[in-house]
DNA sequence: CGAAACCGCGAACGCTGTTTGCAGTTTACA
DNA sequence: TGTAAACTGCAAACAGCGTTCGCGGTTTCG
């Protein structure tokens, strides 16, 4: 009979993502936990035991609340992941400004991204998903575009380059974490001569220490340098 | 009382992965479905509705059987994903042999990988996970190493390069599928001047058509060419 | 003061991967 | 050939998941 009490997390017709929704209503009691507390708890869980450990019940439990209460703040688990990603992207601050060429500056930012992925190995899995960018993500894109201002290239090319660099950073992070990597233990290599020969060789020195820098430099110049005027 | 009837999918102490386990036991009735049929059904489901649609019940249902029956062939869902991945990697055959430099040949293989990812957009998600390589995956690695035979570089560097190329291929596939990409619709860009300026610009021409080739060539030479003797 | 809006949550729904126990079938061995 | 072992397929069930519903208590607005 009473007017439909809508969940504020649903938002009106206007508030479709978390970022366009108020953190709390103006009427009822104060929420016992803020959006930041929720994001922090979820990130801590993911850092400790991977993204699979971030269940609504687990996050709620870590904050001493019941699972359905989370839906007062989030409209879905995807919202939670968006919150986590944006919170971590905020750790990229402050953005490089001063020294060197634009490539040096961009590489510095890439190194910060690499460190971020090392700190939060679940990040690629959380980003591999249609994501609504939060304020920190927007600020990061803005900083990237600012760094690329001296580059004479179209906007589309710049976005492509940014996405590619981000992707390569996650590739390096993955290979370092040895996750998602095939292991050749206990495999019969008799039918694969080149593989067998490769493993018969004495273990060669690991690749160049500055492989990261060389890869990204060649990628940036390849992507953002056009050879036809 | 009777001796413990062990599930053959569990394997003995020796058979830990699918690939080291017999497709069927030597004693009982013939299975109504083969390993290949199961993999094919799962791949079809994933191609149609994404990896999330590949549930044990759905795969079993597509083959007209009940869910628990699948565990006569697979010891877990991860086994199923391993089967799917290896089945798709088999589509990369035949491997390049004849024409051009080693870079040309490797690039041809990369193009085949790109087409493969376009056909099976769920592949990156299925590979992002500790995977046991099947025969097709081993053959693919073997072919890669064969193509890289003229290259004077350590084995570790070659594996790094192969993994990186595979990763970049999946990045290109992703950007083409526009999945896992942030969208800037309905976002207030007032606080982000460079982003706002980028979107205010007339839409620039899309990046170079042969971006894929240029990127991979610069990556390969960057990764596998050492400038200190 | 009353009404509206909001917070937290117990209970429940449909889904998931997986295990158990049993009936029926085929093969190997004595 | 007879019998025991091994195998297949499945109904039922379990724990966990994301999510929804509806209620009682709390805060704020008009």
């Amino acid at each position: 009979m009473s007017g439909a009490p809508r969940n504020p997390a649903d938002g009106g017709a206007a508030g479709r993502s978390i970022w366009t929704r108020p953190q709390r209503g103006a009427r009822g009691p104060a929420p016992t936990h803020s959006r930041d507390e929720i994001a922090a708890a979820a990130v801590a869980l993911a850092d400790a035991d991977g993204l699979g450990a971030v269940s609504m019940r687990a996050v709620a439990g870590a904050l001493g609340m019941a699972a359905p209460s989370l839906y007062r703040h989030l409209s879905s688990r995807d919202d939670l992941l968006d919150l986590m990603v944006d919170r971590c992207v905020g750790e990229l601050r402050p953005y490089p400004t001063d020294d060197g060429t634009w490539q040096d500056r961009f590489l510095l930012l890439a190194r910060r991204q690499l460190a971020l992925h090392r700190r939060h190995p679940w990040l690629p899995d959380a980003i591999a998903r249609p994501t609504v960018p939060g304020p920190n993500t927007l600020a990061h894109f803005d900083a990237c575009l600012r760094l690329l201002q001296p580059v004479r290239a179209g906007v589309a090319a710049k976005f492509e380059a940014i996405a590619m660099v981000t992707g390569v950073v996650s590739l390096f992070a993955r290979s370092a974490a040895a996750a998602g990597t095939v292991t050749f233990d206990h495999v019969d290599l008799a039918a694969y001569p080149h593989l067998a020969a490769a493993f018969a060789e004495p273990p060669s020195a690991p690749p160049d220490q500055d492989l990261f820098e060389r890869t990204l430099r060649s990628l940036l110049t390849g992507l953002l340098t056009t050879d036809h005027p």
Side-chain angles (χ1 to χ4, degrees), chain A:
Chain A
M1 294 295 180
S2 61
R6 278 195 271 91
N7 189 327
D10 293 346
R16 297 223 321 269
S17 80
I18 306 213
W19 313 113
T20 61
R21 245 177 287 136
Q23 292 222 21
R24 56 158 299 190
R27 207 66 76 93
T32 54
H33 296 286
S34 72
R35 207 176 264 182
D36 280 323
E37 284 178 280
I38 295 175
V43 168
L45 248 60
D47 288 346
D49 296 316
L51 206 57
V54 182
S55 71
M56 304 299 271
R57 286 171 174 84
V59 173
L63 276 77
M65 57 200 296
S69 308
L70 279 182
Y71 289 85
R72 293 285 163 193
H73 306 262
L74 320 162
S75 69
S76 73
R77 185 173 184 264
D78 275 3
D79 273 7
L80 179 60
L81 296 183
D82 285 351
L83 239 56
M84 293 168 67
V85 168
D86 200 70
R87 179 188 175 85
C88 290
V89 172
E91 298 177 21
L92 289 179
R93 291 189 154 105
Y95 304 110
T97 49
D98 296 354
D99 312 317
T101 68
W102 65 267
Q103 307 190 34
D104 294 333
R105 289 192 281 250
F106 209 82
L107 207 95
L108 182 62
L109 181 54
R111 282 197 191 284
R112 297 180 63 85
Q113 283 184 263
L114 184 61
L116 185 74
H117 278 81
R118 295 244 164 88
R119 247 174 329 208
H120 310 290
W122 46 269
L123 263 181
D125 296 324
I127 301 178
R129 179 181 59 90
T131 298
V132 182
N136 288 326
T137 305
L138 291 173
H140 170 243
F141 268 101
D142 199 70
C144 286
L145 287 177
R146 180 172 51 75
L147 293 183
L148 292 183
Q149 222 165 8
V151 179
R152 297 177 50 81
V155 181
K158 290 184 179 180
F159 273 107
E160 278 270 357
I162 294 171
M164 200 60 65
V165 166
T166 299
V168 169
V169 165
S170 82
L171 286 181
F172 268 92
R174 228 187 248 286
S175 92
T181 301
V182 297
T183 77
F184 294 95
D185 298 343
H186 310 288
V187 172
D188 183 25
L189 297 180
Y192 312 96
H194 302 88
L195 262 179
F199 281 104
E201 255 186 45
S204 59
D208 197 341
Q209 190 184 4
D210 270 334
L211 182 63
F212 183 69
E213 170 155 353
R214 287 202 297 141
T215 302
L216 282 189
R217 280 195 190 277
S218 69
L219 203 64
L220 280 178
T221 60
L223 289 178
L224 294 177
T225 297
T226 171
D227 38 4
H228 27 115

